[in-house]
Amino acid sequence: MGHALTHAVALIGLAGALVEVEADMSDQLPAMVLIGLPDAALSEATSRVRSAAKNSGCPLTHKKLTINLSPASLPKHGSGFDLAIALACLAADDVVDASSVKSVVHIGELALDGRLRPILGMLPSVVAAALHGPCTVMVPEGNADEARLVPGVRVIGVSSLRDAAIWHGAVLEPVLVEPLRLPIEPDIRADDLDLSDVVGNDDVILALQIAAAGGHHVLMVGPPGAGKSMLAARLPGLLPDLDGPASLEVSSLRSLSGRGIGTSLIVRPPLEAPHHTATAAAMVGGGSGLIRPGAAVRASHGVLFLDEAPEFAASVLDALRQPLESGVISIHRANGVAHFPARFQLIMAANPCPCGQFGAADRECTCPPNSRRRYLARISGPLLDRIDIQLTMRRITAAQLRVATDEPRLSTAEARERVINARAAAEARWAGTPWSLNSHVPGTWLRGQRMRLARATTALLDRALERGGLTMRGYDRVLKVAWSIADLEGVSGPGAEHIGQALYLRKGMSS
């Protein structure tokens, strides 16, 4: 035949584009040329494909093969084009049925012995293919369960190039091959942590419910042992299950990050807790070839927990300022821009000083005042201005422990039910708008004619703004928290007491 065509998928961030893979055979000196803006890993596909085809019992022709990846202007990264390139070459040599190859999207990496290796980002790749209409996708058997999570797509899982060639009409004897699979990393199981394990800290537990109801960011300051990490780890358990689009997005990000997702979409909000030595690239994402999502991206629709927040590099913390406002992270490279979702709840925990004992009743702080100020000043003012709830915590005393142990405590299931009801009220209120959570609603909307609160209700907040105790952004964030408090209490709108409580949470409190 001399010429054949099939399709593959090129990913940039979570977005994918369908790529035509053309193979042309000509009567020239033996060669295999790959064109169409491939990266280094993709350029090496010629060697992988030739060896894999030979070891699969269907060696490539000794004539010249030219493989074009179109559109040529689109950057193409990684080894996921191997299967498409191999089958296009075999179709050009009439080893397999060219019309069958043309009708299927092929995604997969080849080992030198002809086996198919599963690749990262299979779920978003198949989603991208499905956007072009009903299609058939051939993938490595190790990715097949993941690919089948996309509705409206016919998925063919194969373990080797030989199996793929036989499916497309090659006359070969089947050979049983054990499929290669990606390991599935376990999640931080936030659902296994119950709120009833927390003794005392009732005010902080209420503040976490308010944060969960409205999607608000939280800073907790207190000495070691006050329960900051314990409470932060239980926040994802208060959040409702993910809806369909959010579940698909979270699962796609997990697929792209190489953690594996198994046989079902992820339905619980994720928890990401990077170490304080994380770089800016580890936090927001990056990479010289395939751009990988960072911790802030993987926390989308869930919680990003920064323990020992002042120990993070200032550049890493300030990299979060833009996504906290926009909910999107854009990573720019010379040949393209990758856009990732980043709509997460930020929870930061910090000691009050370098030694951690300032304000503790049972220990003496040895830090001078300037040292304490410099320590917390590592969290910049612009970042703090984006934190809706700021809590000051203390260690629980032995007397409080004895009293609290005997009292009934709120469970995660009960708190989640309250949060679900509060979010339902907010969603009903914001029906017909792009927002469903109070924290996402612009301040101009809350201060507009339709939602404006009475002057007597906001009098305390207005005075704080006039005296310079709040920025305009802070003013709007207090309004958002007040609406979340009202939703949690089941009332139609915030009153003066809700504004006062929201302002109190904004300025910090003692539990």
Side-chain angles (χ1 to χ4, degrees), residues 7 27 180 212-213 225 227 305 358 394 464 495:
H7 294 88
D27 294 323
L180 301 173
F305 174 43
F358 181 70
R394 302 188 189 280

Side-chain angles (χ1 to χ4, degrees), residues 360-382:
D362 56 342
R363 299 284 181 87
E364 182 179 352
C365 174
T366 59
C367 304
N370 282 344
S371 178
R372 292 198 298 267
R373 283 195 294 270
R374 283 197 303 269
Y375 185 73
L376 287 179
R378 295 179 184 177
I379 305 174
S380 67

Side-chain angles (χ1 to χ4, degrees), residues 190-507:
D191 288 347
D192 295 339
L193 309 174
D194 201 276
L195 205 58
S196 60
D197 298 335
V198 181
V199 177
N201 289 308
D202 292 340
D203 290 342
V204 182
I205 290 173
L206 175 59
L208 284 184
Q209 293 175 70
I210 294 168
H216 304 289
H217 310 304
V218 180
L219 168 65
M220 295 183 287
V221 179
K228 305 184 296 294
S229 301
M230 186 179 190
L231 284 160
R234 282 157 176 77
L235 177 59
L238 306 185
L239 304 178
D241 288 345
L242 303 173
D243 60 17
S247 177
L248 183 60
E249 193 167 80
V250 169
S251 301
S252 295
L253 289 169
R254 186 176 174 88
S255 170
L256 194 59
S257 63
R259 295 184 174 185
I261 59 176
T263 58
S264 61
L265 293 176
I266 296 168
V267 296
R268 292 299 300 146
L271 170 64
E272 288 289 330
H275 192 261
H276 60 75
T277 56
T279 63
M283 185 66 72
V284 299
S288 57
L290 180 65
I291 300 175
R292 301 281 292 274
V297 176
R298 298 193 302 270
S300 288
H301 304 289
V303 175
L304 176 65
F305 174 43
L306 305 185
D307 201 4
E308 306 292 349
E311 300 296 337
F312 282 80
S315 60
V316 175
L317 292 178
D318 287 338
L320 298 174
R321 285 159 52 179
Q322 183 264 338
L324 285 177
E325 292 292 330
S326 67
V328 175
I329 287 177
S330 299
I331 300 174
H332 294 254
R333 293 291 181 266
N335 54 4
V337 182
H339 300 286
F340 291 106
R343 186 68 76 181
F344 54 85
Q345 275 187 260
L346 176 63
I347 309 298
M348 296 194 295
N351 291 330
C353 63
C355 78
Q357 304 305 327
F358 181 70
D362 56 342
R363 299 284 181 87
E364 182 179 352
C365 174
T366 59
C367 304
N370 282 344
S371 178
R372 292 198 298 267
R373 283 195 294 270
R374 283 197 303 269
Y375 185 73
L376 287 179
R378 295 179 184 177
I379 305 174
S380 67
L383 179 59
L384 279 177
D385 202 33
R386 291 166 167 82
I387 306 300
D388 304 338
I389 298 175
Q390 301 177 23
L391 311 173
T392 301
M393 299 175 60
R394 302 188 189 280
R395 293 193 190 103
I396 188 169
T397 65
Q400 291 171 325
L401 178 61
R402 282 192 295 271
V403 172
T405 301
D406 298 331
E407 294 177 347
R409 295 194 293 274
L410 187 69
S411 70
T412 291
E414 293 168 335
R416 187 192 299 169
E417 190 63 32
R418 293 190 68 198
V419 169
I420 289 173
N421 292 335
R423 288 198 172 198
E427 190 170 357
R429 179 170 59 253
W430 307 121
T433 73
W435 320 291
S436 59
L437 292 178
N438 294 324
S439 61
H440 298 169
V441 180
T444 50
W445 188 276
L446 293 175
R447 290 179 274 106
Q449 190 68 37
R450 179 183 170 189
M451 304 302 299
R452 185 183 303 161
L453 301 175
R455 185 169 298 179
T457 302
T458 62
L460 183 64
L461 187 56
D462 294 337
R463 285 197 297 272
L465 180 64
E466 290 167 1
R467 293 171 181 172
L470 281 177
T471 63
M472 197 65 232
R473 180 190 283 118
Y475 183 100
D476 290 339
R477 289 188 175 274
V478 171
L479 284 178
K480 297 174 187 181
V481 174
W483 276 102
S484 296
I485 296 171
D487 290 337
L488 200 63
E489 294 184 359
V491 298
S492 59
E497 69 279 9
H498 300 123
I499 294 289
Q501 187 178 358
L503 189 58
Y504 184 46
L505 292 173
R506 174 79 179 180
K507 290 299 184 181

Side-chain angles (χ1 to χ4, degrees), residues 90-178:
L90 292 175
D93 197 23
D94 289 328
V95 175
V96 297
D97 183 2
S99 61
S100 175
V101 168
K102 184 178 181 179
S103 65
V104 176
V105 179
H106 299 91
I107 308 170
E109 175 187 345
L110 286 170
L112 297 184
D113 60 0
R115 291 178 300 166
L116 274 171
R117 299 185 185 278
I119 66 165
L120 307 184
M122 179 58 73
L123 184 59
S125 295
V126 177
V127 169
L131 290 177
H132 296 270
C135 61
T136 301
V137 179
M138 182 175 284
V139 301
E141 185 61 43
N143 284 133
D145 289 339
E146 184 178 322
R148 291 188 181 104
L149 297 175
V150 182
V153 176
R154 181 190 179 198
V155 175
I156 302 159
V158 290
S159 299
S160 65
L161 177 59
R162 188 184 186 95
D163 290 346
I166 291 171
W167 194 91
H168 284 298
V171 183
L172 297 169
E173 287 294 324
V175 175
L176 184 63
V177 175
E178 183 68 24

